[in-house]
Amino acid sequence: MMGTPRSLKEKLKKNQLTIGSWVTLGHSAVVEIMGRSGFDWLVFDLEHSTIDVSDCHAMFQASDLCNIPAIVRLTSNDEDLIKRVMDAGASGIMVPMVTSKSDAERAVEATYYPPRGVRGVGLARAQGYGARFAEYRTWLEQNGLVILMIENIQAVEVIEDIFSVEGVDGYMIGPYDLSSSMGVPGEFEGEKFRDAIKRIREAGLKIGL
């Protein structure tokens, strides 16, 4: 988390190509192997794996050693869960099933401290157990990441509003859930699904995501 040579947030702002990968096995050795393989980022998937918050501590230690940003895919848009993974050392969060502007606002607010957000202050690993709180606050403002999962047709219908939320750094499309919510599960080549993808991409490009 701390000290990555070049901020992933900066790369996203500049629309630079980045290549990352998913981690679904909760072991630090897996993170270390992948972290030394040249990826720009890793996602620790808590939603569709057996990884728990308690597993993340050692996994973050490994990602820090490799100087690779580690984003946590959450189980839900939950303020307490966001606080726990960020305090443990996450570089950012990936929020599933965002379907409204208020969902996006809630995720951003839970990631940042007041006055920007509502996150409670804990002195855990991310803050150097209290020794580096000021340093962490600065790091968070410059490097913290909020990535939204767009995976429901309800989100597509208000996608411009969702992407307009200040503090959203990027998005990931969940194609299976999105197509399922449209009544065409797994039919990625159909016109209906392709039109939805086009609308998401155009909205993202318009606002710089």
Side-chain angles (χ1 to χ4, degrees):
M1 180 194 64
M2 301 277 191
T4 49
R6 189 172 187 189
S7 168
L8 177 58
K9 194 181 189 88
E10 178 186 348
K11 292 180 181 180
L12 293 176
K13 284 182 178 179
K14 294 180 178 179
N15 286 321
Q16 295 180 353
L17 175 66
T18 65
I19 299 175
S21 190
W22 241 243
V23 179
T24 58
L25 298 174
H27 198 288
S28 59
V30 175
V31 177
E32 187 173 14
I33 292 168
M34 297 181 73
R36 297 187 186 281
S37 299
F39 292 113
D40 295 297
W41 46 265
L42 296 175
V43 171
F44 299 169
D45 191 345
L46 270 63
E47 184 181 15
H48 291 293
S49 77
T50 59
I51 299 175
D52 204 350
V53 176
S54 59
D55 299 318
C56 288
H57 189 277
M59 295 171 70
F60 287 137
Q61 289 177 322
S63 64
D64 283 356
L65 285 172
C66 298
N67 267 346
I68 185 168
I71 300 164
V72 174
R73 180 180 179 179
L74 306 168
T75 57
S76 63
N77 190 3
D78 180 83
E79 178 182 328
D80 291 333
L81 180 59
I82 292 171
K83 176 170 56 180
R84 292 183 69 194
V85 299
M86 292 302 294
D87 283 351
S91 298
I93 56 169
M94 181 175 288
V95 187
M97 208 56 71
V98 172
T99 60
S100 67
K101 182 177 181 179
S102 62
D103 284 347
E105 290 172 338
R106 187 163 66 252
V108 172
E109 289 173 354
T111 303
Y112 292 97
Y113 297 121
R116 183 176 182 182
V118 298
R119 178 178 166 191
V121 176
L123 303 179
R125 181 175 176 275
Q127 302 86 3
Y129 303 101
R132 296 194 303 273
F133 175 66
E135 179 184 352
Y136 175 74
R137 280 198 66 185
T138 300
W139 176 90
L140 180 64
E141 290 295 328
Q142 296 175 349
N143 300 284
L145 293 163
V146 176
I147 310 297
L148 308 181
M149 290 290 297
I150 305 301
E151 48 190 346
N152 190 286
I153 190 59
Q154 294 179 35
V156 180
E157 292 167 353
V158 292
I159 196 65
E160 293 83 4
D161 290 339
I162 291 172
F163 286 169
S164 72
V165 173
E166 185 176 355
V168 172
D169 298 292
Y171 67 92
M172 184 81 70
I173 296 173
Y176 280 99
D177 281 327
L178 177 57
S179 61
S180 295
S181 74
M182 299 171 67
V184 289
E187 297 181 21
F188 303 140
E189 297 304 319
E191 182 177 356
K192 188 177 180 180
F193 180 79
R194 291 168 69 90
D195 285 347
I197 297 298
K198 181 180 178 182
R199 181 171 176 182
I200 296 168
R201 292 185 64 187
E202 288 179 347
L205 289 170
K206 183 177 180 180
I207 203 162
L209 295 180

